[in-house]
Amino acid sequence: MERPTNQTTVPAHTAATWLQRWDAQQEFYIADREERFAVIADVVTHVVASVDHPVVVDLGCGPGSLAARLHERLPRATIIGVDADPLLLGLARTHYGDTIEWVDGDLAGSTWHHHLPPTIHAAVSTTALHWLSRHHVAELYRFLGTTLAPGGALVNGDHLGHDDQRMNTLGTHVRDQRAQRAGVRENEQWDTWWDAALADPELAELNRVRATRLATRAAADGTTTGDETADGHTHHGNGLSVEGHTRLLHAAGFGSVAPVWQVGDDHVLVAIR
Ligand SMILES: C[S@@+](CC[C@H](N)C(=O)[O-])C[C@H]1O[C@@H](n2cnc3c(N)ncnc32)[C@H](O)[C@@H]1O
């Protein structure tokens, strides 16, 4: 029987160390990650300016970096982080505590939103929605298109290409040049972080919960855990371009959709209901 991640314990200093390593590791891929977070918070503060107690959901929150930045910028808001990875959620819970609500849910499933309040004013996400299949992205957008309060927004920061292949190539080049200038290419990378986290005895309990989760999911999907990389993730990119996301968002009922920030292929795409 899987144990809920909110009943597992990690020493506070251990969670802090892994969080620090996570942020540096993510910056290997997203040199302007903190600026991306700040831009997302700029959009959310604008969108909820007239709401007394806004509700903001971070989709695929991982260990909570964006949710925590939003809590700093919007201390009166209810921030809810949703993720399906018990290890990352366990680190988030330990480090950031209950200043943020953490929901253990699969965005590709049908029940994750049962834990949300009926009204949501903004949904945000960073480097996460490309993990979902196009079908599940479309489903998620349809859900948000009917659930977000009128005037509410989805704010998605991610590496997004374009339908035009030459623009794709250019976007990747600009991203790589920016990474060189920012000096993040010496940072730890994804696989090294996961290898070390999965081997840390202080994370053993969370890792056990996670292993059980992966085995259960693999059995339900009819796959083997060997279909995944060592960290248990499948890394399927859905390949949706800025234009592809925009089409799906309009189809889901969002009236205004456009990027508000871009560095190379790193975009913050905003859709307003
Ligand atoms: C690259 S990480 C980014 C995490 C965080 N947003 C950040 O920027 O640090 C991608 C996250 O998406 C989550 N994720 C992927 N597929 C998911 C799904 N179907 N349901 C919930 N979370 C998912 C992963 O567990 C992981 O935490």
Side-chain angles (χ1 to χ4, degrees):
M1 185 68 181
E2 188 177 312
R3 208 170 158 194
T5 47
N6 57 4
Q7 290 175 23
T8 55
T9 52
V10 181
H13 69 274
T14 304
T17 302
W18 282 109
L19 253 297
Q20 230 170 35
R21 273 178 79 164
W22 174 269
D23 285 339
Q25 173 259 112
Q26 284 290 292
E27 282 181 350
F28 174 91
Y29 306 96
I30 311 138
D32 295 296
R33 186 168 177 259
E34 288 299 331
E35 180 61 13
R36 188 207 261 185
F37 287 160
V39 168
I40 292 173
D42 289 342
V43 174
V44 173
T45 50
H46 182 81
V47 164
V48 304
S50 62
V51 182
D52 284 342
H53 298 290
V55 175
V56 183
V57 182
D58 181 3
L59 305 164
C61 64
S65 314
L66 172 61
R69 305 317 184 261
L70 286 169
H71 174 66
E72 282 168 20
R73 288 279 298 271
L74 291 154
R76 286 190 308 130
T78 297
I79 313 285
I80 304 169
V82 182
D83 205 280
D85 191 299
L87 173 71
L88 299 180
L89 272 183
L91 293 176
R93 277 199 176 99
T94 303
H95 191 65
Y96 297 115
D98 57 13
T99 50
I100 293 157
E101 292 179 23
W102 305 106
V103 171
D104 189 344
D106 180 0
L107 295 169
S110 55
T111 58
W112 65 273
H113 48 80
H114 292 176
H115 304 281
L116 302 184
T119 304
I120 302 167
H121 300 95
V124 300
S125 188
T126 51
T127 333
L129 298 187
H130 65 265
W131 292 56
L132 301 181
S133 69
R134 291 178 182 214
H135 167 76
H136 287 125
V137 171
E139 240 175 24
L140 177 66
Y141 287 174
R142 280 194 292 274
F143 168 75
L144 294 172
T146 52
T147 309
L148 279 169
L154 167 66
V155 195
N156 180 25
D158 211 339
H159 291 297
L160 302 174
H162 290 278
D163 289 349
D164 183 316
Q165 190 49 48
R166 283 187 296 191
M167 285 302 156
N168 264 341
T169 307
L170 197 50
T172 308
H173 173 70
V174 170
R175 178 193 65 201
D176 290 345
Q177 293 300 112
R178 171 66 190 134
Q180 292 291 352
R181 284 196 295 278
V184 294
R185 284 292 148 97
E186 301 304 314
N187 288 19
E188 180 174 33
Q189 297 181 41
W190 176 268
D191 287 345
T192 320
W193 190 95
W194 276 102
D195 288 347
L198 296 176
D200 183 350
E202 295 201 307
L203 302 182
E205 200 181 347
L206 280 176
N207 276 324
R208 266 195 301 277
V209 176
R210 188 170 187 278
T212 308
R213 169 80 51 91
L214 292 176
T216 309
R217 196 186 301 158
D221 292 350
T223 57
T224 67
T225 46
D227 292 338
E228 294 150 339
T229 53
D231 58 61
H233 293 121
T234 48
H235 301 288
H236 292 316
N238 57 39
L240 275 170
S241 61
V242 171
E243 296 81 13
H245 279 281
T246 303
R247 284 189 289 272
L248 289 180
L249 286 160
H250 280 309
F254 287 88
S256 305
V257 184
V260 293
W261 179 84
Q262 177 183 357
V263 178
D265 69 347
D266 186 1
H267 288 82
V268 172
L269 182 65
V270 179
I272 302 179
R273 187 170 168 218

